[in-house]
Amino acid sequence: MTMSDPLAATCPAPRAETERVLLGHGSGGQLMAELLGDLTPRLGMSTLDDAAVVTVGRDEIVMSTDAFVVTPRFFPGGDIGSLAVHGTINDIAMMGAQPIALSLAYIVEEGLPLAELTAVTSSVAAAAAACGVPVVTGDTKVVGRGAADGLYVITTGFGVRLPNARPSATGGRPGDAVLLSGPIGLHGVTILSTREGLGFETEIASDSRPLHRLVRAMIDAGGPHVHAMRDPTRGGLASALNELAVDVGIEVDESAIPVPNQVAAACELLGLDPLHVANEGCLVAFVAPGAADRVLTAMRATPEGAAACRIGEVGAGHPGRVTMRTIVGATRVVDMLVGEQLPRIC
């Protein structure tokens, strides 16, 4: 009997899971970008924005749709109902549009308490009224036990683009100032703390809120000089900046990025990067240098942008790359979130 040579043995090369959808495909990060890069061309879509502009006569109508599966459904600072309203309105606003109407759909699992469905609906109504954007149509489907996790909410929004507003995901130009409307990480840490019972919820709440009034103030101040806007939801600020760094490079200053103490402490304890933690009430914008101070002043005059700040600059070198000057003076590359840091945050 002869012995096989162990050095001659071969092992199959490892390969990535490509046959099934993973949680990471919904992270807002690299896996999601790859998934959308495969799916959207099949629909004839090429836009990198969260909303689309449809020309109707002389009007530019902006449309966006989103699904919300957050768990838990109620959390400090909001719930799945108000989050659905704010999230869709914000996607419309990021295209420089004034939202005018919403549609609402529920997928309800058999057994959900009617009191909870009523509470979510009341929250949707209150949030829509506060935003001045009515819910005008909708749909409800009920599925069997185990076919859904209680309640999923789907919203579609419609808006009209503001005069002189032309922001887009590919609108960044070298020299643009990178403006951030406020602190980061509040929503993601709140959801994690509430879900896992970590105790942070006594000190922290989601930043979920509508941004359309802030955007109007920015457009009024800067008009077409507001080149790009994005609300850094899933995947956080890091993923949003990478999505906007299509044909340009971006450099941000770590010391200029407002991270609340509670968020910094939670991220340090849990090994998370605040730049990857989700937000639901702030935006990042690229604004022409000559208009940046004017737009920043207008942002700070609104409740939503009171803590607005300049965090960096758009450059011509290294297209597609985001870098950050760290507090210690080094420079590091800021990548998109890879995988799933925290599922079902919106």
Side-chain angles (χ1 to χ4, degrees):
M1 178 172 141
T2 60
M3 299 291 293
S4 298
D5 182 0
L7 298 180
T10 60
C11 295
R15 59 188 178 88
E17 170 63 74
T18 58
E19 301 300 323
R20 299 179 187 275
V21 174
L22 307 175
L23 270 176
H25 284 117
S27 67
Q30 184 174 327
L31 283 178
M32 186 171 183
E34 293 173 357
L35 178 66
L36 295 180
D38 176 61
L39 296 181
T40 53
R42 299 170 187 268
L43 299 170
M45 297 168 56
S46 60
T47 178
L48 299 173
D49 294 298
D50 289 333
V53 179
V54 181
T55 302
V56 180
R58 295 183 177 181
D59 293 326
E60 288 186 317
I61 306 300
V62 176
M63 176 182 178
S64 180
T65 192
D66 208 344
F68 295 85
V69 299
V70 63
T71 179
R73 288 184 285 276
F74 296 85
F75 47 85
D79 57 71
I80 193 171
S82 60
L83 182 66
V85 171
H86 296 161
T88 299
I89 282 176
N90 291 348
D91 284 345
I92 294 290
M94 292 308 104
M95 294 299 291
Q98 178 67 31
I100 57 173
L102 294 169
S103 74
L104 172 71
Y106 289 151
I107 298 177
V108 187
E109 182 184 4
E110 179 188 15
L112 181 78
L114 283 174
E116 185 170 343
L117 185 60
T118 300
V120 170
T121 304
S122 296
S123 179
V124 169
C131 295
V133 184
V135 176
V136 296
T137 188
D139 187 33
T140 300
K141 294 292 189 294
V142 178
V143 297
R145 293 179 184 268
D149 187 8
L151 175 66
Y152 300 149
V153 179
I154 301 96
T155 44
T156 297
F158 299 88
V160 178
R161 217 168 199 189
L162 297 169
N164 295 320
R166 290 295 180 270
S168 74
T170 58
R173 304 174 189 175
D176 282 355
V178 180
L179 306 183
L180 181 66
S181 67
I184 64 170
L186 290 165
H187 180 72
V189 169
T190 298
I191 295 299
L192 177 61
S193 178
T194 307
R195 184 185 302 171
E196 305 299 334
L198 300 179
F200 299 130
E201 67 266 23
T202 59
E203 304 175 354
I204 197 169
S206 171
D207 63 337
S208 177
R209 57 184 170 182
L211 299 174
H212 60 302
R213 298 183 181 97
L214 171 63
V215 168
R216 176 179 282 276
M218 295 172 65
I219 298 300
D220 286 346
H225 300 296
V226 180
H227 293 154
M229 290 187 289
R230 182 63 57 98
D231 55 334
T233 52
R234 288 174 294 174
L237 179 61
S239 291
L241 289 173
N242 274 277
E243 289 168 356
L244 296 176
V246 179
D247 300 315
V248 295
I250 302 170
E251 184 177 49
V252 295
D253 185 350
E254 183 179 19
S255 64
I257 299 174
V259 180
N261 291 334
Q262 310 98 305
V263 171
C267 288
E268 183 175 0
L269 178 65
L270 300 171
L272 304 177
D273 185 343
L275 296 180
H276 287 149
V277 177
N279 314 273
E280 288 292 347
C282 71
L283 64 82
V284 62
F286 296 168
V287 181
D293 289 341
R294 188 167 66 251
V295 171
L296 189 57
T297 298
M299 294 171 72
R300 289 172 175 168
T302 68
E304 301 87 353
C309 54
R310 181 171 181 160
I311 64 169
E313 185 175 289
V314 176
H318 305 292
R321 179 179 294 181
V322 180
T323 58
M324 182 170 71
R325 298 187 299 276
T326 67
I327 294 175
V328 298
T331 298
R332 75 173 178 91
V333 174
V334 177
D335 286 322
M336 286 185 109
L337 176 65
V338 178
E340 182 63 271
Q341 185 180 61
L342 177 63
R344 298 188 57 183
I345 48 137
C346 63

